[in-house]
Amino acid sequence: MEIQGKIKMIGTTQSFGSSGFRKREIVITTDEQYPQHIMVEFVQDKTDLLNSYQVGQPVKISINLRGREWVNPQGETKYFNSIQGWRIEAAQAEASGGMPPMPPADAFEPAGNLNEDEHDDLPF
């Protein structure tokens, strides 16, 4: 799966436990009618992927959804979800409808003035 948006926040790398588990969070704001602020976590060696990105930059992140089950001391089962990123790249501006972008107006040669005596060969 992929999500696209602008970077709202990039967290610092956090280390947990004696095993050296590392995690870094990033928040992406989607560009849609009702923008969403989605937190994605990068773990272990993937935390370094965020080093070359800045707040405000449009990106595309490849993600996996993760789910965990946990039974608390009272015996209640709880479920937790996380969004884990594994690739990030700068988003490219896409032209609408798959068409190439229109060149600026000054790139075209102006049409010459046609006299009534000059006719073209078009049948209409």
Side-chain angles (χ1 to χ4, degrees), residues 4 17 28 34 36 39 48 51 63 65 72 76 80 83 86 97 100 105 109-110 114-115 117:
Q4 287 190 355
I28 301 297
Y34 301 105
Q36 302 296 307
M39 188 192 61
D48 296 333
N51 291 342
I63 61 168
L65 298 177
N72 70 14
E76 300 171 323
F80 298 92
I83 302 170
W86 53 275
E109 185 176 314
L114 294 176
N115 294 331
D117 296 337

Side-chain angles (χ1 to χ4, degrees), residues 46-59:
K46 301 295 184 190
T47 60
D48 296 333
L49 295 176
L50 303 179
N51 291 342
S52 60
Y53 293 92
Q54 299 174 359
V55 172
Q57 186 174 2
V59 293

Side-chain angles (χ1 to χ4, degrees), residues 4-124:
Q4 287 190 355
K6 286 189 178 179
I7 298 174
K8 180 179 177 100
M9 184 275 300
I10 302 175
T12 59
T13 302
Q14 302 170 326
S15 294
F16 300 93
S18 60
S19 65
F21 178 80
R22 298 184 314 154
K23 177 173 94 166
R24 191 169 183 189
E25 298 172 340
I26 183 171
V27 176
I28 301 297
T29 302
T30 61
D31 183 24
E32 52 194 344
Q33 183 178 2
Y34 301 105
Q36 302 296 307
H37 306 287
I38 300 174
M39 188 192 61
V40 179
E41 60 184 27
F42 285 78
V43 297
Q44 298 300 79
D45 60 334
K46 301 295 184 190
T47 60
D48 296 333
L49 295 176
L50 303 179
N51 291 342
S52 60
Y53 293 92
Q54 299 174 359
V55 172
Q57 186 174 2
V59 293
K60 177 170 60 172
I61 300 178
S62 298
I63 61 168
N64 290 324
L65 298 177
R66 300 282 184 217
R68 289 178 298 290
E69 179 179 87
W70 175 68
V71 179
N72 70 14
Q74 293 78 26
E76 300 171 323
T77 303
K78 304 280 184 176
Y79 296 93
F80 298 92
N81 298 318
S82 63
I83 302 170
Q84 209 169 73
W86 53 275
R87 180 173 59 197
I88 183 170
E89 56 190 283
Q92 302 295 322
E94 296 181 17
S96 60
M99 298 290 293
M102 180 67 121
D106 59 359
F108 294 99
E109 185 176 314
N113 292 335
L114 294 176
N115 294 331
E116 288 184 28
D117 296 337
E118 297 177 16
H119 298 310
D120 56 20
D121 293 282
L122 296 177
F124 47 87

